Amino acid sequence: MITAFAEMLKRHAGQGRVAWIGLRPARREEILAAETVDVTAAGLCGDHAKEGKRAVTLIQAEHLPVIAALAGLDNLHPELLRRNFVVSRINLAALRKAKLQIGSAVLHVTGPCPPCSRMEELLGHGGYNAMRGHGGWYAEVVEPGRVALDDSVTALTSAE
């Protein structure tokens, strides 16, 4: 039974896709949307992140309507959430502690990315709580590469 469970953890319905790319040039500066980005050990070129377990941030595209609903908004633009990649069609929570290929880069999903207090400012009253449990994930860069909109997101190893 354990073997079957371990095998089930490795399976995903299919590949994900890069739906949006955002660069944060500096803390509290406006997010810049990009079509293509180079990923280095220190994160995305043009982003203010630093090398390590939090070099890149990802959020699930399918969570944006949930966050909007919980925040009392009609819609939600990804730049308000201040994450680097919005990905669709693959469950990021199922990739915790796993490696994934996104474009030609390889990332290691290290843990959940909680919302910051700025979400109250950007999403309005209750914005912080609207994002709790939906804030996305941090990742460390394993192999640098290039990522473009609509690139595939593929699980390379599963969480254990």
Side-chain angles (χ1 to χ4, degrees):
M1 185 67 152
I2 291 174
T3 304
F5 184 69
E7 287 302 312
M8 188 171 51
L9 287 174
K10 294 178 186 177
R11 291 193 297 260
H12 298 274
Q15 294 182 337
R17 290 277 172 227
V18 176
W20 185 84
I21 302 170
L23 302 171
R24 305 158 303 173
R27 192 171 179 272
R28 297 193 66 84
E29 277 195 26
E30 197 169 312
I31 297 286
L32 305 173
E35 292 187 15
T36 304
V37 67
D38 290 315
V39 180
T40 70
L44 280 59
C45 289
D47 191 72
H48 78 281
K50 297 177 183 161
E51 188 170 346
K53 293 180 179 183
R54 297 178 175 191
V56 176
T57 57
L58 304 100
I59 195 165
Q60 191 79 45
E62 291 80 1
H63 287 191
L64 272 61
V66 173
I67 295 167
L70 295 172
L73 303 171
D74 291 332
N75 58 40
L76 184 61
H77 298 286
E79 60 270 12
L80 289 177
L81 303 180
R82 308 194 61 76
R83 302 299 185 249
N84 295 127
F85 293 117
V86 175
V87 301
S88 65
R89 299 183 357 203
I90 193 164
N91 186 352
L92 290 173
L95 294 171
R96 181 177 187 174
K97 301 200 183 269
K99 290 181 183 171
L100 62 89
Q101 182 157 354
I102 180 168
S104 64
V106 175
L107 305 179
H108 176 241
V109 180
T110 55
C113 183
C116 66
S117 60
R118 187 142 187 244
M119 292 302 108
E120 286 288 305
E121 178 185 326
L122 296 171
L123 303 179
H125 184 75
Y128 177 86
N129 277 329
M131 277 194 70
R132 288 178 66 188
H134 306 286
W137 298 87
Y138 289 121
E140 180 174 22
V141 179
V142 176
E143 292 178 27
R146 178 167 272 217
V147 178
L149 289 176
D150 206 40
D151 274 355
S152 64
V153 179
T154 307
L156 298 178
T157 59
S158 291
E160 298 180 14

